[in-house]
Amino acid sequence: MSLQTIDAQPPSPKTRPRRRPPLYSAANPHFHVLAFPTTYFFLQQWGIDHGFTDDEAETNAAWRTISSRLWHLGPRCQQGVIYVDDIESLCIVVASNRTAADMARADDQELIQTVKTVLGTKGKPVWRKPIQI
């Protein structure tokens, strides 16, 4: 198969960018969250950058520290687990399609910027089906 043929293939459903889902309802029973995914290596590096060592216990402490820095946002910001490229990923959830109020948080740029600042990322949150919240 040539590169040209590979490039012409549609992206798989797991790598296709997700758009904002419709509001969760009986007609649309697909629950999604808007979240900032993290990886073990991201958490490890975040911990090192913030004075933790690079062992597993310290990486877990880094995750707890990130969470505690976001606690003041209350229920607007939760921890969760989503799949990113077939890998379970801890994440910070900023919105969902559960209610209209939850959905409106997807447009709350102040909230999104606060999470970006705490995580130290320029990346955008992604819509995914949660594994756990």
Side-chain angles (χ1 to χ4, degrees):
M1 189 181 283
S2 72
L3 287 176
Q4 188 175 16
T5 308
I6 292 171
D7 290 340
Q9 299 295 320
S12 79
K14 293 187 179 193
T15 60
R16 188 177 303 143
R18 306 291 199 309
R19 293 189 184 106
R20 180 187 297 242
L23 191 61
Y24 181 80
S25 66
N28 176 46
H30 303 287
F31 180 61
H32 288 79
V33 296
L34 182 66
F36 285 93
T38 64
T39 64
Y40 176 80
F41 298 107
F42 170 85
L43 292 171
Q44 188 177 36
Q45 187 59 54
W46 191 95
I48 291 168
D49 293 346
H50 291 83
F52 295 91
T53 61
D54 65 351
D55 68 9
E56 186 173 348
E58 292 291 307
T59 301
N60 291 334
W63 178 245
R64 288 191 305 275
T65 300
I66 289 169
S67 300
S68 70
R69 290 184 181 186
L70 296 170
W71 75 268
H72 69 281
L73 299 173
R76 296 186 310 154
C77 217
Q78 301 176 8
Q79 297 176 352
V81 180
I82 59 175
Y83 278 115
V84 177
D85 298 329
D86 297 328
I87 298 170
E88 287 187 13
S89 173
L90 292 172
C91 66
I92 300 294
V93 176
V94 294
S96 77
N97 67 336
R98 183 167 299 194
T99 66
D102 286 348
M103 194 75 135
R105 286 200 309 266
D107 298 319
D108 185 342
Q109 293 306 307
E110 184 177 341
L111 172 65
I112 290 171
Q113 188 55 50
T114 299
V115 176
K116 282 183 173 184
T117 300
V118 169
L119 294 177
T121 185
K122 294 179 183 175
K124 294 180 180 180
V126 294
W127 285 104
R128 294 288 193 272
K129 289 183 180 181
I131 300 169
Q132 175 184 341
I133 295 183

